[in-house]
């Protein structure tokens, strides 16, 4: 009987401790700062189709080689290209005119932050 009591006590304690841990800690994914988390949400809702697959030459999120020639231009230039469109390949605001310039900036900052991680 004492064996079962000890077993279930340990099991219950482990469930409690698991419930208290951070889910990001379990996955090994660090939590993003709020600004980048906002940018990530914008990217996932608006930019992911092209920037996950490289459609029309869109630099793939996290792909160092594809971003190497863009990063030296600076974030302000990349934001300008995203807002106004670029080279006939990137439509203005990614084709979503409802996005604000600030939302575009957050999305660009998030994508840039993912390059060397």
């Amino acid at each position: 009987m004492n064996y079962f009591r000890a077993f279930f006590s340990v099991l219950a304690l482990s469930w409690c401790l698991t419930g208290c841990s951070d889910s990001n800690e379990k996955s090994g994914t660090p939590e993003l700062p709020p600004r980048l988390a906002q940018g990530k949400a914008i990217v996932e809702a608006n930019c992911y189709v092209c920037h996950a697959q490289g459609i029309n030459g869109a630099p793939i999120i996290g792909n160092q080689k594809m971003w190497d020639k863009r990063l030296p231009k600076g974030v302000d230039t990349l934001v300008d290209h995203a807002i106004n469109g670029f080279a006939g390949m990137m439509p203005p605001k990614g084709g979503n005119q409802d996005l604000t310039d600030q939302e575009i900036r957050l999305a660009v900052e998030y994508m840039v932050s993912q390059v060397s991680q």
Side-chain angles (χ1 to χ4, degrees), residues 15-34:
W15 282 340
C16 289
L17 292 175
T18 301
C20 294
S21 67
D22 183 3
S23 62
N24 287 332
E25 193 176 297
K26 287 184 222 172
S27 68
T29 304
E31 190 171 324
L32 291 172

Side-chain angles (χ1 to χ4, degrees), residues 35-48 51 61 67 75 78-79 82 90 99-114:
R35 186 171 181 85
L36 293 180
Q38 288 176 316
K40 181 179 181 182
I42 294 163
V43 167
E44 289 175 348
N46 299 280
C47 316
Y48 202 70
H51 285 279
I61 299 165
W67 284 91
V75 172
L78 297 175
V79 169
M90 168 74 184
L99 291 172
T100 67
D101 291 358
Q102 181 60 28
E103 288 171 323
I104 296 293
R105 177 170 289 280
L106 291 169
V108 170
E109 288 175 0
Y110 168 73
M111 286 191 272
V112 167
S113 79
Q114 298 304 295

